[in-house]
Amino acid sequence: MGCESDTSAIERARNKAVVERYFHEVLDRKNVALMPELMSSDVVLHRPGLEVTGLDAAMTRLAATLREFTAFSTELEGLIAEGDMVSVRLLHRTTMRPHLFHSRAGEVPVPNEQDLSWRAICQFRLRDGKIVEEWVMRDELDMLVQMGARVAPR
């Protein structure tokens, strides 16, 4: 029983380290080339409003997304691992380039460079030390308000 517990603790620590590297090395440093080291070839990213399947598609999508920002930083506020899952609360801070922001509420023009921050909760499933699934739940309403979008009550 002691060995199994030690192995589980080692795997949880390894999984947490993979997720931390994803945020700090891939996102914050815009190092998309590192993704094959951290994600499986059959990774599935469940993002607000879209789903991306496969490592190549994930790399293409993330590279396109990161081009919309001049700066990007992530503050991890809580990291919990259990079994093959890792959950994290976080705060992203960024400076957005002018572009058309795609949200679940529609498209919002970002006419000028602007600072933006948002909170999110992300969950990851890992297999053999690599991310195989990611779920993102972000505070998109606050993002839209910061961008000056008019949000009408229902």
Side-chain angles (χ1 to χ4, degrees), residues 2 5 22 27 30 34 47 68 81 93-94 124 126 133:
S5 179
Y22 171 68
L27 294 181
K30 297 184 178 186
L34 184 63
R47 299 285 174 88
E68 297 170 352
R93 289 187 177 93
T94 186
F124 298 86
L126 291 91
E133 277 189 283

Side-chain angles (χ1 to χ4, degrees), residues 82-153:
E82 184 65 37
D84 63 352
M85 301 292 294
V86 175
S87 296
V88 60
R89 289 179 299 109
L90 58 90
L91 173 65
H92 284 308
R93 289 187 177 93
T94 186
T95 302
M96 297 181 78
R97 298 179 193 276
H99 72 286
L100 194 58
F101 179 79
H102 303 282
S103 79
R104 290 172 286 174
E107 296 181 338
V108 177
V110 179
N112 302 306
E113 194 169 279
Q114 86 178 75
D115 293 336
L116 184 70
S117 63
W118 68 94
R119 295 195 180 280
I121 296 174
C122 301
Q123 292 181 301
F124 298 86
R125 186 172 63 84
L126 291 91
R127 178 181 64 228
D128 300 325
K130 290 192 174 192
I131 297 167
V132 293
E133 277 189 283
E134 175 199 39
W135 294 265
V136 175
M137 287 106 353
R138 67 183 182 192
D139 187 352
E140 199 167 276
L141 178 59
D142 186 46
M143 295 172 75
L144 293 170
V145 169
Q146 289 177 66
M147 286 185 261
R150 292 185 46 99
V151 181

